[in-house]
Amino acid sequence: MMFKEFPVGNGKIIQGDCVDVLKTLPENEIVLAFTSPPYLNAINYEEHIEKLKGKRDRWDRKEVSYDEYKQFLKERFKELLRVIRPGGHNVVNISPISWNGERTALPFHFVSWMEEIGWKFKEDIIWEKPIARDRRSGVLLQHPYPGYYYPSLVAEYVFVFQKPAEKEGKANIYWNRTFEEKENNVIDLSDYQGEKSKNVWKIRPVAPQENIHPCPFPIELADRIIQLYSYKNDIVIDIFTGSGQTNIGAEKLGRRHIGIETQSEYIKYAIRKINDEISTQTFTFEEKR
Ligand SMILES: C[S@@+](CC[C@H](N)C(=O)[O-])C[C@H]1O[C@@H](n2cnc3c(N)ncnc32)[C@H](O)[C@@H]1O
């Protein structure tokens, strides 16, 4: 199968279903994946784009069973495992969501699905959003009695998985770097004693007017993951790239990058934003000279 590829900066975005696109990529080459999977029952991306184009004023949810969703995710993250280098990481931003009116423990089920297909669980990071967008906690204000507690949701999970490496020591893709590579990739620890050394990260979410995508994650989240788990010039992939926040972070940090996305409208937007990032960098560089 042939897929449309859109080269941009140090990387490219490929249009297609990631399960098929991943099959065309070489084995054991990519150092890091960072993504947030689509919530298939919650957002209908095709209809969201028609709304963007003014062709409809709302979108409807899709009928997808939880079991179908589980298969969707397992198939795609299994293909991802093949292309990641042994010892490389796969970082996933995921949250509990409602399914048929019930709140599901999706992130916790997801960890066991990932272990079943061969990923090793490493870290659980909480992304804390300083602002609550929902009013769940208002229920207790109206009914201040036991049984009415619905806290406002201000956190999402960021899980880190690793592709097992045969020989932990020798094959470790981080320890085998040259002295020069390490020196070129020193992580700035100036504010490390603050929150970065802990597994709760407070990062402002993207406001709706800042991005056309219905659920982007902040570039700052991508930046942190990319700096902590890859070196300059490594390949970073996002298999559900949406508005390209991972690609932007990777471009900014001197990594090569691949995004995979089904919707051409999001791809066009992502390319525009990556190019904006490149021109800002050139501008800053010229200003400094
Ligand atoms: C949660 S959003 C990702 C948002 C992205 N992290 C950002 O910051 O913009 C999931 C994206 O996956 C895309 N998508 C859905 N199914 C896909 C598939 N099978 N293969 C690739 N992309 C898919 C959707 O169009 C949507 O843009």
Side-chain angles (χ1 to χ4, degrees):
M1 216 185 293
M2 291 286 284
F3 298 96
K4 267 197 198 160
E5 285 198 10
F6 302 87
V8 57
N10 277 325
K12 61 184 167 190
I13 299 187
I14 308 174
Q15 183 172 9
D17 184 334
C18 58
V19 75
D20 301 319
V21 175
L22 284 167
K23 289 188 178 122
T24 67
L25 302 182
E27 202 178 344
N28 299 338
E29 197 176 61
I30 296 171
V31 163
L32 172 65
F34 180 41
T35 201
S36 63
Y39 298 134
L40 291 186
N41 74 323
I43 298 178
N44 183 330
Y45 293 98
E46 290 87 0
E47 292 191 5
H48 170 255
I49 283 167
E50 287 183 5
K51 181 170 175 273
L52 273 182
K53 290 179 170 170
K55 291 189 185 158
R56 55 166 67 232
D57 27 279
R58 55 188 285 265
W59 74 70
D60 292 314
R61 287 164 185 258
K62 265 189 185 167
E63 286 298 318
V64 180
S65 74
Y66 199 59
D67 204 50
E68 282 170 324
Y69 185 50
K70 167 183 167 181
Q71 292 315 326
F72 171 89
L73 293 177
K74 282 183 85 175
E75 270 172 37
R76 282 151 186 86
F77 283 98
K78 194 165 179 213
E79 280 306 324
L80 178 67
L81 184 68
R82 192 186 64 81
V83 304
I84 295 287
R85 277 172 67 176
H89 287 89
N90 165 28
V91 183
V92 184
N93 165 222
I94 193 161
S95 295
I97 48 167
S98 288
W99 216 283
N100 298 330
E102 300 245 318
R103 193 157 185 256
T104 63
L106 173 64
F108 308 100
H109 300 150
F110 181 76
V111 172
S112 62
W113 302 340
M114 297 297 278
E115 287 176 337
E116 280 163 26
I117 58 180
W119 289 101
K120 193 168 162 206
F121 173 76
K122 297 284 285 193
E123 305 292 341
D124 54 318
I125 297 165
I126 309 283
W127 163 29
E128 185 190 335
K129 305 171 192 180
I131 327 150
R133 283 214 189 127
D134 67 78
R135 303 216 177 115
R136 282 176 107 232
S137 58
V139 176
L140 193 64
L141 289 175
Q142 285 185 337
H143 309 278
Y145 319 109
Y148 290 90
Y149 179 56
Y150 299 97
S152 289
L153 303 173
V154 293
E156 294 196 17
Y157 292 91
V158 177
F159 289 140
V160 181
F161 301 92
Q162 189 172 32
K163 176 164 172 173
E166 271 167 29
K167 291 182 216 134
E168 277 284 339
K170 277 196 181 152
N172 191 299
I173 60 174
Y174 302 102
W175 301 342
N176 280 351
R177 306 288 177 154
T178 62
F179 175 74
E180 208 182 343
E181 260 185 300
K182 286 186 175 169
E183 284 302 297
N184 271 331
N185 286 275
V186 172
I187 297 171
D188 176 9
L189 296 182
S190 49
D191 56 354
Y192 188 64
Q193 290 312 313
E195 62 158 46
K196 279 189 197 162
S197 61
K198 308 184 185 89
N199 74 339
V200 179
W201 295 353
K202 211 176 265 188
I203 301 177
R204 186 179 74 80
V206 180
Q209 66 277 12
E210 291 174 329
N211 194 307
I212 65 156
H213 199 280
C215 47
F217 49 53
I219 296 176
E220 190 184 340
L221 190 59
D223 282 356
R224 284 197 197 180
I225 301 295
I226 292 167
Q227 282 183 328
L228 292 169
Y229 290 105
S230 69
Y231 277 69
K232 284 184 188 143
N233 215 32
D234 283 349
I235 307 177
V236 176
I237 192 169
D238 187 336
I239 61 171
F240 300 109
T241 213
S243 62
Q245 303 286 76
T246 303
N247 301 76
I248 295 171
E251 180 71 38
K252 203 161 67 164
L253 294 164
R255 274 63 169 174
R256 290 176 286 158
H257 49 92
I258 301 173
I260 308 176
E261 170 61 51
T262 46
Q263 306 300 324
S264 57
E265 217 47 44
Y266 298 149
I267 296 179
K268 273 192 248 162
Y269 180 71
I271 289 174
R272 223 172 44 233
K273 290 207 323 163
I274 301 165
N275 280 327
D276 285 351
E277 174 56 39
I278 296 169
S279 51
T280 318
Q281 278 177 355
T282 319
F283 184 64
T284 319
F285 175 70
E286 277 167 5
E287 256 187 346
K288 277 186 189 151
R289 286 204 307 180

